[in-house]
Amino acid sequence: MIATHTLASGMGGLRTAGDLVARMQMTGMRVGEAKKYVAGKLKVSTRDLADEVIMNEVRDDLNIGRVVSHHGKARGIQAKMNIGKLLNLELNSVRRFMEKVN
Amino acid sequence: MVLTRFGDGELIEVDGSKIKEDLQAGMEDASDRGKIAPLRSEDLDRLYEICTRPGKMVGVEKGNEIIMTGDSPSIGSVPRGFSVNRLQMLQTYERVCGMDTAESGFIDYSYKAVKTVATEERSWVEQASHLLTIPLFYGAMPDLGRYSRPDGPVHNWAELLPQGKIGESRDAQEEAAEYCIKDLVYVASEMYEGGAEGIDFDTTGAAGDADFYAALKAAEILKEKYPDICIEMGMAGEFVLGMHGRLTYDGVRLAGLYPHEQVKLAEKAGVTIFGPVINNNSKKSFAFNLARAVTYCRACVEAANIPVHPNVGLGVGGVTTVEVLPVDVVSRVSVAMAEVGKADGL
């Protein structure tokens, strides 16, 4: 069921920019406002945000994690550190991680 | 003739005029019960097109995609009977399914149950927060009924009510709500401090208005404690059952509230994402249920200032009440909620 919804109307998560738009919704933004915010930060159009080909390259350039996880590239908490800086968000998971590292 | 389904999933073949008739009836049913605006004729035309579009699977137009949150995908392997641990399930949702968010949870999906294993849960949530790139929620049900005897410490209001002990029943629910609020705040705090980025109060209101009250109060306390926390509140039914009948929040009586009214109180409590539920009638057609669900959803979206993610799982939001869900139904609900219901996500 989740797979069907994701294919029918989902943004695509890590395959595209779905996780980034979700992060802005988690601050209370409606979907249109969240898409515009993320598109502005990534310097792409809102339609590009759900395009797998474009977003795979953009994510690789910005080192914010991709669905194909190559060596030498950020993933997991590393990618989230870069996402927080990009979206100007202090992510809770990153803050908790850094509390243990510092 | 068009192939469509009944609310219980049965495949039927009907004339297009029957689908139009059922869409109109479903929309009017929601509008009458909820005292909300009906859909416009162009919205009904769009729903008809979605219901009758050829193809087993349908999808939104490019640019109309919305955000996916889910209630406890991490434990999805358990009822399906295959051996994958919860971290692997979440990574599968992230890297195979393309989910926008992930949600961790315990197989006994209740905050009261999680309380006893909260430190262990926090430990694996910490690991999950390091592994995943997509936002991580922790979710469970407020599950107020668990606080009544024989499972909990207070008198069972479901037994008191038939005995005519209305006052005692109300006292028991109020006492249970206080226990529930403490557990919701304790478990949510553990998971948030462990690295979860969002908390999900799922199936809120399942035990009635006191259940909804407990979740609202817990959201209020958590927002005060952690101003940046994201709280998603998913509901249990389309209107709040008045098991207590007199409970209020911010001066508003909770019993009988519909989604467009529920969301206003959720906003006041500090909820970040609201998930309305619209029940499915398995004796009516898919078209009837879809129009009904979309009408409620649209009114909720228009009343809200926060993102709205309607529940679209088994038996809710227009999805048929059947164990293995037909792809044709689920994908049409998905498109209708995004493009006609104007949902921010699902």
mmCIF file of all heavy atoms in Angstrom, chain B residues 152-191:
data_model
loop_
_atom_site.group_PDB
_atom_site.id
_atom_site.type_symbol
_atom_site.label_atom_id
_atom_site.label_comp_id
_atom_site.label_asym_id
_atom_site.label_seq_id
_atom_site.Cartn_x
_atom_site.Cartn_y
_atom_site.Cartn_z
ATOM 1 N N GLY B 152 -5.435 -1.654 32.944
ATOM 2 C CA GLY B 152 -4.877 -0.455 33.562
ATOM 3 C C GLY B 152 -5.429 -0.206 34.952
ATOM 4 O O GLY B 152 -6.194 -1.013 35.491
ATOM 5 N N PRO B 153 -5.089 0.955 35.520
ATOM 6 C CA PRO B 153 -5.403 1.220 36.928
ATOM 7 C C PRO B 153 -6.789 1.822 37.201
ATOM 8 O O PRO B 153 -7.210 1.828 38.349
ATOM 9 C CB PRO B 153 -4.314 2.235 37.312
ATOM 10 C CG PRO B 153 -4.001 2.959 36.034
ATOM 11 C CD PRO B 153 -4.195 1.970 34.937
ATOM 12 N N VAL B 154 -7.500 2.331 36.213
ATOM 13 C CA VAL B 154 -8.743 3.048 36.514
ATOM 14 C C VAL B 154 -9.976 2.206 36.158
ATOM 15 O O VAL B 154 -9.895 1.248 35.392
ATOM 16 C CB VAL B 154 -8.803 4.434 35.795
ATOM 17 C CG1 VAL B 154 -7.534 5.224 36.019
ATOM 18 C CG2 VAL B 154 -9.100 4.288 34.325
ATOM 19 N N HIS B 155 -11.111 2.599 36.730
ATOM 20 C CA HIS B 155 -12.356 1.887 36.430
ATOM 21 C C HIS B 155 -12.626 1.883 34.914
ATOM 22 O O HIS B 155 -12.283 2.833 34.217
ATOM 23 C CB HIS B 155 -13.536 2.558 37.140
ATOM 24 C CG HIS B 155 -13.577 2.287 38.603
ATOM 25 N ND1 HIS B 155 -13.820 1.028 39.135
ATOM 26 C CD2 HIS B 155 -13.401 3.111 39.670
ATOM 27 C CE1 HIS B 155 -13.797 1.089 40.445
ATOM 28 N NE2 HIS B 155 -13.537 2.344 40.811
ATOM 29 N N ASN B 156 -13.245 0.823 34.460
ATOM 30 C CA ASN B 156 -13.514 0.674 33.025
ATOM 31 C C ASN B 156 -14.816 1.403 32.666
ATOM 32 O O ASN B 156 -15.904 0.967 33.029
ATOM 33 C CB ASN B 156 -13.620 -0.817 32.682
ATOM 34 C CG ASN B 156 -13.635 -1.057 31.189
ATOM 35 O OD1 ASN B 156 -14.202 -0.278 30.436
ATOM 36 N ND2 ASN B 156 -12.997 -2.138 30.776
ATOM 37 N N TRP B 157 -14.674 2.510 31.946
ATOM 38 C CA TRP B 157 -15.852 3.325 31.643
ATOM 39 C C TRP B 157 -16.805 2.620 30.680
ATOM 40 O O TRP B 157 -17.993 2.917 30.690
ATOM 41 C CB TRP B 157 -15.455 4.712 31.116
ATOM 42 C CG TRP B 157 -14.491 4.726 29.966
ATOM 43 C CD1 TRP B 157 -14.804 4.727 28.649
ATOM 44 C CD2 TRP B 157 -13.066 4.736 30.045
ATOM 45 N NE1 TRP B 157 -13.655 4.751 27.890
ATOM 46 C CE2 TRP B 157 -12.576 4.754 28.722
ATOM 47 C CE3 TRP B 157 -12.149 4.742 31.089
ATOM 48 C CZ2 TRP B 157 -11.206 4.784 28.421
ATOM 49 C CZ3 TRP B 157 -10.791 4.767 30.789
ATOM 50 C CH2 TRP B 157 -10.328 4.781 29.481
ATOM 51 N N ALA B 158 -16.289 1.672 29.916
ATOM 52 C CA ALA B 158 -17.166 0.918 29.010
ATOM 53 C C ALA B 158 -18.086 -0.019 29.811
ATOM 54 O O ALA B 158 -19.135 -0.435 29.332
ATOM 55 C CB ALA B 158 -16.345 0.118 28.012
ATOM 56 N N GLU B 159 -17.659 -0.352 31.032
ATOM 57 C CA GLU B 159 -18.526 -1.157 31.905
ATOM 58 C C GLU B 159 -19.423 -0.255 32.754
ATOM 59 O O GLU B 159 -20.557 -0.622 33.071
ATOM 60 C CB GLU B 159 -17.658 -2.037 32.820
ATOM 61 C CG GLU B 159 -16.952 -3.157 32.080
ATOM 62 C CD GLU B 159 -16.034 -3.985 32.957
ATOM 63 O OE1 GLU B 159 -15.914 -3.687 34.169
ATOM 64 O OE2 GLU B 159 -15.418 -4.909 32.425
ATOM 65 N N LEU B 160 -18.903 0.910 33.131
ATOM 66 C CA LEU B 160 -19.682 1.831 33.975
ATOM 67 C C LEU B 160 -20.861 2.438 33.210
ATOM 68 O O LEU B 160 -21.957 2.595 33.760
ATOM 69 C CB LEU B 160 -18.783 2.954 34.510
ATOM 70 C CG LEU B 160 -17.697 2.539 35.514
ATOM 71 C CD1 LEU B 160 -16.714 3.669 35.753
ATOM 72 C CD2 LEU B 160 -18.343 2.104 36.831
ATOM 73 N N LEU B 161 -20.641 2.774 31.955
ATOM 74 C CA LEU B 161 -21.685 3.452 31.168
ATOM 75 C C LEU B 161 -22.979 2.633 31.054
ATOM 76 O O LEU B 161 -24.070 3.169 31.312
ATOM 77 C CB LEU B 161 -21.152 3.816 29.772
ATOM 78 C CG LEU B 161 -20.295 5.095 29.706
ATOM 79 C CD1 LEU B 161 -19.654 5.224 28.334
ATOM 80 C CD2 LEU B 161 -21.140 6.333 30.001
ATOM 81 N N PRO B 162 -22.904 1.327 30.723
ATOM 82 C CA PRO B 162 -24.154 0.561 30.628
ATOM 83 C C PRO B 162 -24.884 0.416 31.973
ATOM 84 O O PRO B 162 -26.077 0.132 32.006
ATOM 85 C CB PRO B 162 -23.695 -0.824 30.136
ATOM 86 C CG PRO B 162 -22.336 -0.622 29.580
ATOM 87 C CD PRO B 162 -21.748 0.520 30.314
ATOM 88 N N GLN B 163 -24.138 0.638 33.062
ATOM 89 C CA GLN B 163 -24.759 0.568 34.395
ATOM 90 C C GLN B 163 -25.388 1.907 34.783
ATOM 91 O O GLN B 163 -25.909 2.056 35.895
ATOM 92 C CB GLN B 163 -23.703 0.185 35.444
ATOM 93 C CG GLN B 163 -23.113 -1.204 35.271
ATOM 94 C CD GLN B 163 -21.884 -1.425 36.158
ATOM 95 O OE1 GLN B 163 -21.751 -0.836 37.216
ATOM 96 N NE2 GLN B 163 -20.982 -2.268 35.708
ATOM 97 N N GLY B 164 -25.280 2.865 33.902
ATOM 98 C CA GLY B 164 -25.850 4.188 34.171
ATOM 99 C C GLY B 164 -24.984 5.045 35.085
ATOM 100 O O GLY B 164 -25.425 6.084 35.573
ATOM 101 N N LYS B 165 -23.748 4.606 35.350
ATOM 102 C CA LYS B 165 -22.846 5.351 36.234
ATOM 103 C C LYS B 165 -22.074 6.392 35.415
ATOM 104 O O LYS B 165 -20.868 6.238 35.162
ATOM 105 C CB LYS B 165 -21.902 4.384 36.960
ATOM 106 C CG LYS B 165 -22.644 3.436 37.887
ATOM 107 C CD LYS B 165 -21.695 2.461 38.562
ATOM 108 C CE LYS B 165 -22.463 1.552 39.526
ATOM 109 N NZ LYS B 165 -21.621 0.506 40.109
ATOM 110 N N ILE B 166 -22.803 7.413 35.004
ATOM 111 C CA ILE B 166 -22.239 8.409 34.078
ATOM 112 C C ILE B 166 -21.128 9.216 34.748
ATOM 113 O O ILE B 166 -20.052 9.421 34.163
ATOM 114 C CB ILE B 166 -23.346 9.364 33.572
ATOM 115 C CG1 ILE B 166 -24.544 8.570 33.022
ATOM 116 C CG2 ILE B 166 -22.790 10.320 32.513
ATOM 117 C CD1 ILE B 166 -24.269 7.709 31.841
ATOM 118 N N GLY B 167 -21.379 9.672 35.959
ATOM 119 C CA GLY B 167 -20.378 10.478 36.667
ATOM 120 C C GLY B 167 -19.098 9.697 36.901
ATOM 121 O O GLY B 167 -17.993 10.193 36.656
ATOM 122 N N GLU B 168 -19.234 8.448 37.375
ATOM 123 C CA GLU B 168 -18.063 7.609 37.628
ATOM 124 C C GLU B 168 -17.297 7.344 36.325
ATOM 125 O O GLU B 168 -16.065 7.295 36.305
ATOM 126 C CB GLU B 168 -18.478 6.272 38.251
ATOM 127 C CG GLU B 168 -19.017 6.378 39.673
ATOM 128 C CD GLU B 168 -20.531 6.548 39.709
ATOM 129 O OE1 GLU B 168 -21.093 7.120 38.753
ATOM 130 O OE2 GLU B 168 -21.147 6.110 40.694
ATOM 131 N N SER B 169 -18.055 7.164 35.252
ATOM 132 C CA SER B 169 -17.438 6.923 33.950
ATOM 133 C C SER B 169 -16.605 8.133 33.515
ATOM 134 O O SER B 169 -15.481 7.986 33.019
ATOM 135 C CB SER B 169 -18.526 6.631 32.918
ATOM 136 O OG SER B 169 -18.024 6.775 31.621
ATOM 137 N N ARG B 170 -17.170 9.308 33.723
ATOM 138 C CA ARG B 170 -16.423 10.533 33.353
ATOM 139 C C ARG B 170 -15.175 10.678 34.218
ATOM 140 O O ARG B 170 -14.095 11.025 33.727
ATOM 141 C CB ARG B 170 -17.331 11.759 33.500
ATOM 142 C CG ARG B 170 -18.359 11.847 32.387
ATOM 143 C CD ARG B 170 -19.135 13.146 32.455
ATOM 144 N NE ARG B 170 -19.988 13.273 31.286
ATOM 145 C CZ ARG B 170 -21.284 13.593 31.318
ATOM 146 N NH1 ARG B 170 -21.879 13.828 32.484
ATOM 147 N NH2 ARG B 170 -21.976 13.689 30.206
ATOM 148 N N ASP B 171 -15.312 10.422 35.530
ATOM 149 C CA ASP B 171 -14.151 10.520 36.432
ATOM 150 C C ASP B 171 -13.047 9.561 35.981
ATOM 151 O O ASP B 171 -11.860 9.909 35.993
ATOM 152 C CB ASP B 171 -14.561 10.178 37.871
ATOM 153 C CG ASP B 171 -15.458 11.257 38.477
ATOM 154 O OD1 ASP B 171 -15.516 12.370 37.907
ATOM 155 O OD2 ASP B 171 -16.107 10.971 39.507
ATOM 156 N N ALA B 172 -13.444 8.352 35.610
ATOM 157 C CA ALA B 172 -12.459 7.342 35.189
ATOM 158 C C ALA B 172 -11.722 7.802 33.937
ATOM 159 O O ALA B 172 -10.495 7.659 33.832
ATOM 160 C CB ALA B 172 -13.169 6.012 34.926
ATOM 161 N N GLN B 173 -12.446 8.376 32.989
ATOM 162 C CA GLN B 173 -11.793 8.840 31.752
ATOM 163 C C GLN B 173 -10.840 10.003 32.016
ATOM 164 O O GLN B 173 -9.763 10.097 31.423
ATOM 165 C CB GLN B 173 -12.853 9.243 30.727
ATOM 166 C CG GLN B 173 -13.627 8.054 30.189
ATOM 167 C CD GLN B 173 -14.742 8.464 29.255
ATOM 168 O OE1 GLN B 173 -14.501 8.930 28.155
ATOM 169 N NE2 GLN B 173 -15.967 8.306 29.705
ATOM 170 N N GLU B 174 -11.240 10.876 32.917
ATOM 171 C CA GLU B 174 -10.361 12.007 33.239
ATOM 172 C C GLU B 174 -9.088 11.522 33.933
ATOM 173 O O GLU B 174 -7.994 12.029 33.664
ATOM 174 C CB GLU B 174 -11.109 13.021 34.120
ATOM 175 C CG GLU B 174 -12.176 13.777 33.341
ATOM 176 C CD GLU B 174 -13.096 14.596 34.229
ATOM 177 O OE1 GLU B 174 -12.653 15.033 35.313
ATOM 178 O OE2 GLU B 174 -14.263 14.799 33.853
ATOM 179 N N GLU B 175 -9.243 10.537 34.813
ATOM 180 C CA GLU B 175 -8.079 9.984 35.500
ATOM 181 C C GLU B 175 -7.161 9.272 34.487
ATOM 182 O O GLU B 175 -5.938 9.439 34.520
ATOM 183 C CB GLU B 175 -8.547 8.991 36.571
ATOM 184 C CG GLU B 175 -7.454 8.573 37.523
ATOM 185 C CD GLU B 175 -7.942 7.536 38.550
ATOM 186 O OE1 GLU B 175 -9.176 7.326 38.666
ATOM 187 O OE2 GLU B 175 -7.079 6.944 39.217
ATOM 188 N N ALA B 176 -7.769 8.520 33.583
ATOM 189 C CA ALA B 176 -6.986 7.811 32.563
ATOM 190 C C ALA B 176 -6.239 8.808 31.673
ATOM 191 O O ALA B 176 -5.080 8.574 31.302
ATOM 192 C CB ALA B 176 -7.910 6.938 31.712
ATOM 193 N N ALA B 177 -6.887 9.905 31.345
ATOM 194 C CA ALA B 177 -6.252 10.908 30.481
ATOM 195 C C ALA B 177 -4.982 11.465 31.134
ATOM 196 O O ALA B 177 -3.974 11.677 30.455
ATOM 197 C CB ALA B 177 -7.231 12.032 30.164
ATOM 198 N N GLU B 178 -5.024 11.660 32.438
ATOM 199 C CA GLU B 178 -3.832 12.182 33.125
ATOM 200 C C GLU B 178 -2.675 11.176 33.056
ATOM 201 O O GLU B 178 -1.526 11.558 32.813
ATOM 202 C CB GLU B 178 -4.161 12.525 34.588
ATOM 203 C CG GLU B 178 -5.121 13.700 34.749
ATOM 204 C CD GLU B 178 -4.673 14.955 33.985
ATOM 205 O OE1 GLU B 178 -3.479 15.306 34.060
ATOM 206 O OE2 GLU B 178 -5.525 15.554 33.296
ATOM 207 N N TYR B 179 -2.976 9.883 33.253
ATOM 208 C CA TYR B 179 -1.931 8.850 33.108
ATOM 209 C C TYR B 179 -1.379 8.858 31.671
ATOM 210 O O TYR B 179 -0.181 8.767 31.445
ATOM 211 C CB TYR B 179 -2.501 7.460 33.396
ATOM 212 C CG TYR B 179 -2.686 7.135 34.862
ATOM 213 C CD1 TYR B 179 -3.956 6.862 35.375
ATOM 214 C CD2 TYR B 179 -1.604 7.054 35.734
ATOM 215 C CE1 TYR B 179 -4.141 6.542 36.716
ATOM 216 C CE2 TYR B 179 -1.786 6.734 37.076
ATOM 217 C CZ TYR B 179 -3.044 6.481 37.560
ATOM 218 O OH TYR B 179 -3.215 6.158 38.885
ATOM 219 N N CYS B 180 -2.292 8.952 30.728
ATOM 220 C CA CYS B 180 -1.920 8.882 29.308
ATOM 221 C C CYS B 180 -1.024 10.065 28.926
ATOM 222 O O CYS B 180 -0.007 9.892 28.243
ATOM 223 C CB CYS B 180 -3.197 8.859 28.457
ATOM 224 S SG CYS B 180 -2.901 8.664 26.704
ATOM 225 N N ILE B 181 -1.385 11.254 29.382
ATOM 226 C CA ILE B 181 -0.585 12.453 29.062
ATOM 227 C C ILE B 181 0.850 12.249 29.549
ATOM 228 O O ILE B 181 1.809 12.520 28.814
ATOM 229 C CB ILE B 181 -1.214 13.706 29.706
ATOM 230 C CG1 ILE B 181 -2.548 14.028 29.038
ATOM 231 C CG2 ILE B 181 -0.274 14.911 29.605
ATOM 232 C CD1 ILE B 181 -3.419 15.012 29.832
ATOM 233 N N LYS B 182 0.996 11.748 30.772
ATOM 234 C CA LYS B 182 2.344 11.525 31.329
ATOM 235 C C LYS B 182 3.146 10.562 30.451
ATOM 236 O O LYS B 182 4.324 10.780 30.184
ATOM 237 C CB LYS B 182 2.239 10.938 32.744
ATOM 238 C CG LYS B 182 1.960 11.982 33.816
ATOM 239 C CD LYS B 182 1.957 11.330 35.194
ATOM 240 C CE LYS B 182 1.405 12.315 36.215
ATOM 241 N NZ LYS B 182 1.058 11.677 37.476
ATOM 242 N N ASP B 183 2.502 9.483 30.007
ATOM 243 C CA ASP B 183 3.216 8.488 29.192
ATOM 244 C C ASP B 183 3.565 9.039 27.810
ATOM 245 O O ASP B 183 4.667 8.791 27.293
ATOM 246 C CB ASP B 183 2.362 7.214 29.035
ATOM 247 C CG ASP B 183 2.267 6.430 30.327
ATOM 248 O OD1 ASP B 183 2.994 6.779 31.289
ATOM 249 O OD2 ASP B 183 1.463 5.481 30.389
ATOM 250 N N LEU B 184 2.654 9.786 27.212
ATOM 251 C CA LEU B 184 2.929 10.366 25.890
ATOM 252 C C LEU B 184 4.124 11.309 25.974
ATOM 253 O O LEU B 184 5.023 11.283 25.128
ATOM 254 C CB LEU B 184 1.709 11.134 25.359
ATOM 255 C CG LEU B 184 0.441 10.333 25.057
ATOM 256 C CD1 LEU B 184 -0.687 11.255 24.611
ATOM 257 C CD2 LEU B 184 0.689 9.290 23.987
ATOM 258 N N VAL B 185 4.146 12.146 27.002
ATOM 259 C CA VAL B 185 5.231 13.123 27.138
ATOM 260 C C VAL B 185 6.547 12.399 27.449
ATOM 261 O O VAL B 185 7.587 12.723 26.872
ATOM 262 C CB VAL B 185 4.886 14.164 28.232
ATOM 263 C CG1 VAL B 185 6.087 15.052 28.544
ATOM 264 C CG2 VAL B 185 3.690 15.009 27.802
ATOM 265 N N TYR B 186 6.486 11.400 28.328
ATOM 266 C CA TYR B 186 7.718 10.677 28.697
ATOM 267 C C TYR B 186 8.319 9.962 27.484
ATOM 268 O O TYR B 186 9.506 10.136 27.164
ATOM 269 C CB TYR B 186 7.419 9.674 29.820
ATOM 270 C CG TYR B 186 8.534 8.683 30.042
ATOM 271 C CD1 TYR B 186 9.790 9.108 30.494
ATOM 272 C CD2 TYR B 186 8.350 7.330 29.788
ATOM 273 C CE1 TYR B 186 10.830 8.194 30.671
ATOM 274 C CE2 TYR B 186 9.381 6.421 29.966
ATOM 275 C CZ TYR B 186 10.619 6.850 30.401
ATOM 276 O OH TYR B 186 11.644 5.951 30.565
ATOM 277 N N VAL B 187 7.517 9.167 26.797
ATOM 278 C CA VAL B 187 8.051 8.383 25.666
ATOM 279 C C VAL B 187 8.489 9.312 24.529
ATOM 280 O O VAL B 187 9.576 9.137 23.960
ATOM 281 C CB VAL B 187 7.005 7.356 25.167
ATOM 282 C CG1 VAL B 187 7.486 6.683 23.886
ATOM 283 C CG2 VAL B 187 6.722 6.316 26.239
ATOM 284 N N ALA B 188 7.680 10.300 24.216
ATOM 285 C CA ALA B 188 8.038 11.223 23.126
ATOM 286 C C ALA B 188 9.334 11.963 23.463
ATOM 287 O O ALA B 188 10.188 12.161 22.585
ATOM 288 C CB ALA B 188 6.905 12.217 22.884
ATOM 289 N N SER B 189 9.499 12.331 24.712
ATOM 290 C CA SER B 189 10.730 13.031 25.116
ATOM 291 C C SER B 189 11.941 12.124 24.937
ATOM 292 O O SER B 189 12.989 12.550 24.440
ATOM 293 C CB SER B 189 10.641 13.467 26.584
ATOM 294 O OG SER B 189 9.575 14.368 26.767
ATOM 295 N N GLU B 190 11.799 10.864 25.347
ATOM 296 C CA GLU B 190 12.911 9.914 25.191
ATOM 297 C C GLU B 190 13.315 9.802 23.716
ATOM 298 O O GLU B 190 14.498 9.830 23.385
ATOM 299 C CB GLU B 190 12.491 8.533 25.715
ATOM 300 C CG GLU B 190 12.516 8.412 27.218
ATOM 301 C CD GLU B 190 13.928 8.462 27.786
ATOM 302 O OE1 GLU B 190 14.792 7.683 27.340
ATOM 303 O OE2 GLU B 190 14.170 9.309 28.671
ATOM 304 N N MET B 191 12.324 9.654 22.852
ATOM 305 C CA MET B 191 12.632 9.424 21.429
ATOM 306 C C MET B 191 13.169 10.687 20.764
ATOM 307 O O MET B 191 14.079 10.630 19.932
ATOM 308 C CB MET B 191 11.393 8.913 20.672
ATOM 309 C CG MET B 191 10.811 7.632 21.231
ATOM 310 S SD MET B 191 12.066 6.376 21.581
ATOM 311 C CE MET B 191 11.200 5.413 22.804
#
